[in-house]
């Protein structure tokens, strides 16, 4: 699994974020990119995880997330929480979660910005979340029921 494209994407994102966070400007303020992450949990009606464990029907390494402009987004596999993690990008309000060739879920976000607590810049965050056009609870973990 460590040689998978998702692992390489995750490693690239983490190295890039670390580089941004380490870089400081003259006033001693971290000039880093502070991204907000969302986790995706896919379960059936009885709560069985469909990405991890004995009830899995989707391979988390094959799940992809595309932004509204069709760019492939880095997906981190978080085995400790049995979820997939991705980052919200400024001005990208819709993402397609491709579970399989025939199963695609659409996530939509209302976005806002706030001053970052870790950096000099701003942080994009969601003020509202939609799953396939229906408003859902705006939490860090998005549960998709199949």
């Amino acid at each position: 699994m460590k040689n998978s494209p998702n692992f390489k994407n995750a490693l690239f994102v983490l190295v890039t974020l670390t580089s941004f966070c380490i870089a400081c400007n003259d006033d001693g303020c971290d000039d880093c990119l502070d991204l907000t992450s969302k986790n995706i949990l896919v379960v059936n009606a009885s709560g069985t995880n469909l990405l991890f464990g004995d009830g899995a029907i989707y391979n988390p390494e094959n799940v992809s997330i595309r932004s509204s402009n069709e760019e492939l987004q880095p997906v981190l596999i978080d085995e400790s929480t049995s979820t997939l993690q991705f980052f919200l990008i400024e001005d990208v309000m819709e993402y397609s979660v491709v579970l399989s060739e025939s199963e695609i879920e659409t996530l939509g976000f209302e976005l806002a910005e706030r001053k970052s607590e870790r950096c000099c810049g701003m942080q994009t965050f969601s003020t509202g979340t939609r799953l396939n056009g229906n408003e859902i609870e705006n939490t860090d973990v998005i549960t998709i029921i199949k």
Side-chain angles (χ1 to χ4, degrees):
M1 178 159 71
K2 290 189 177 184
N3 293 326
S4 73
N6 284 336
F7 179 77
K8 290 177 184 175
N9 287 341
L11 186 59
F12 173 76
V13 169
L14 290 175
V15 168
T16 302
L17 288 175
T18 302
S19 298
F20 281 124
C21 290
I22 292 174
C24 295
N25 58 25
D26 292 338
D27 63 6
C29 182
D30 288 338
D31 188 23
C32 66
L33 183 60
D34 194 3
L35 297 175
T36 299
S37 66
K38 293 287 185 175
N39 287 50
I40 298 173
L41 174 66
V42 182
V43 298
N44 64 15
S46 63
T48 302
N49 193 314
L50 300 178
L51 289 168
F52 298 90
D54 295 336
I57 61 171
Y58 304 108
N59 183 342
E61 292 183 14
N62 294 336
V63 174
S64 64
I65 298 178
R66 294 191 175 276
S67 61
S68 55
N69 61 3
E70 294 299 316
E71 282 188 35
L72 194 60
Q73 299 300 308
V75 177
L76 306 170
I77 296 174
D78 189 346
E79 291 182 16
S80 66
T81 62
S82 299
T83 62
L84 300 176
Q85 182 182 46
F86 74 103
F87 299 97
L88 294 179
I89 307 298
E90 178 184 11
D91 297 328
V92 177
M93 297 171 43
E94 192 168 283
Y95 298 84
S96 296
V97 180
V98 182
L99 298 171
S100 69
E101 281 187 31
S102 61
E103 295 184 83
I104 300 173
E105 306 291 332
T106 303
L107 292 174
F109 298 97
E110 294 173 29
L111 301 176
E113 286 191 338
R114 62 181 167 217
K115 182 156 177 44
S116 170
E117 294 177 10
R118 299 181 322 143
C119 306
C120 290
M122 301 297 283
Q123 179 185 44
T124 298
F125 68 101
S126 66
T127 60
T129 304
R130 291 178 317 284
L131 174 61
N132 298 320
N134 299 312
E135 191 169 332
I136 61 172
E137 190 174 350
N138 185 44
T139 61
D140 291 337
V141 177
I142 299 165
T143 302
I144 298 173
I145 301 172
K146 298 299 290 172

